[in-house]
Amino acid sequence: MKKLVTLVLALVLACTAFAALAEGTEVVVFAAASMTETLTQIKETYEAANPGVTLVYNFDSSGTLKTQIQEGAACDVFISAGQKQMNQLDITADPSVNTEGLDFVDDATRINLLENKVTLVVPEGNPKGIETFDQLAELLKNGDVFMAMGNSDVPVGQYTQKILAYYGLDEAELASAGKLTYGTNVKEVTTQVSEASVDCGVIYCTDAFSAGLTVVDSATGEMCGQIIYPAAVLKTSENPEAAKAFLDYLLTDEAMQVFGAVGFSPVE
């Protein structure tokens, strides 16, 4: 009788495992908007090599993604365009950053995935003849230019704020004078420049490449710091093993070639 019960249980477990395999596994990835093109390309390659695994993406500003995770959105892997948003979800981070004591990040899986660059871009033809950040600073001081940048809760906006501070420019004064316009993520800023609704914008070099925009200058580390994209599996993940496998794949040479083609680089 015991052997029969054991056999029945084994069959039930086998059928359950088979059903799960047949249904496949979804890995939900929340990623910074600046990774849209590269991760979309990687999805095709990864799913082809891993039948039964489906990557589901949610692209937006890192601040918006952080809020969605905090509010309970289903997410397996989080890739931020800045350390701040990841730290705000990581219980091991400095309490001055993780002010709410949030505990979503599986710290054992956290990595610094990629490095990007902040660039100054202009519309086709560069009507204002803007060539450098130094020149831009003078034009902003004189009120002779209209610039697009990210909101303060968007990493690219936070990097831009550092650049403005580096030049001693008052963002609030420039905004009230109508010299700045904002985007809720880097793609919105990119679009404003592409459509020539502004004289220039500050975006990542990867977005400039994908949009075919002209880069006239790149910000130095002294101006805005190093642009690091951290990534991690979340403790709330429903498929942590599959999520970790995908995260590991992003570190492979195959994936890095995709990232490198648009201007990302490994973190040194």
Side-chain angles (χ1 to χ4, degrees):
M1 183 66 179
K2 289 183 178 179
K3 288 185 179 179
L4 179 60
V5 171
T6 301
L7 179 60
V8 171
L9 286 174
L11 288 171
V12 169
L13 290 173
C15 290
T16 301
F18 179 78
L21 183 62
E23 291 176 2
T25 301
E26 280 192 352
V27 176
V28 181
V29 181
F30 280 29
S34 49
M35 302 189 74
T36 302
E37 291 80 11
T38 49
L39 285 182
T40 298
Q41 184 177 342
I42 284 172
K43 172 182 169 70
E44 183 177 346
T45 304
Y46 190 79
E47 290 181 349
N50 296 272
V53 176
T54 301
L55 298 175
V56 179
Y57 291 142
N58 177 24
F59 296 110
D60 212 319
S61 74
S62 299
T64 297
L65 297 175
K66 174 260 176 184
T67 299
Q68 291 174 351
I69 291 168
Q70 181 179 352
E71 292 178 347
C75 175
D76 297 301
V77 176
F78 179 37
I79 310 175
S80 172
Q83 298 283 15
K84 178 180 178 181
Q85 289 73 22
M86 184 69 75
N87 286 338
Q88 288 175 328
L89 296 172
D90 190 343
I91 195 64
T92 68
D94 192 309
S96 65
V97 180
N98 186 355
T99 56
E100 299 174 82
L102 300 177
D103 187 13
F104 286 86
V105 174
D106 180 354
D107 196 60
T109 69
R110 181 170 172 172
I111 57 174
N112 287 331
L113 178 62
L114 297 166
E115 183 172 356
N116 209 338
K117 292 180 180 179
V118 169
T119 58
L120 176 61
V121 294
V122 294
E124 184 177 358
N126 192 6
K128 286 285 186 175
I130 302 168
E131 298 179 351
T132 65
F133 274 110
D134 289 350
Q135 181 191 9
L136 171 64
E138 291 303 314
L139 289 170
L140 285 170
K141 287 177 183 177
N142 297 329
D144 294 331
V145 69
F146 186 39
M147 184 183 84
M149 62 179 284
N151 287 339
S152 60
D153 64 338
V154 179
V156 74
Q158 293 161 1
Y159 296 130
T160 308
Q161 288 178 321
K162 291 181 179 180
I163 293 171
L164 293 176
Y166 174 82
Y167 285 105
L169 295 167
D170 188 312
E171 180 190 353
E173 288 184 3
L174 291 172
S176 63
K179 300 306 174 185
L180 299 178
T181 184
Y182 295 88
T184 60
N185 58 50
V186 70
K187 293 301 182 187
E188 288 190 6
V189 180
T190 303
T191 297
Q192 291 181 63
V193 180
S194 296
E195 294 178 348
S197 58
V198 293
D199 300 316
C200 63
V202 179
I203 62 174
Y204 301 118
C205 71
T206 52
D207 292 283
F209 178 88
S210 298
L213 288 172
T214 300
V215 174
V216 294
D217 201 3
S218 296
T220 64
E222 183 182 8
M223 293 164 66
C224 66
Q226 195 175 12
I227 317 304
I228 302 296
Y229 283 50
V233 176
L234 298 186
K235 290 182 177 180
T236 53
S237 170
E238 295 184 1
N239 297 295
E241 291 184 6
K244 182 61 167 61
F246 176 63
L247 198 56
D248 289 341
Y249 173 77
L250 296 181
L251 291 170
T252 65
D253 289 342
E254 186 175 42
M256 283 296 170
Q257 286 181 359
V258 176
F259 292 131
V262 301
F264 283 114
S265 60
V267 179
E268 297 181 358

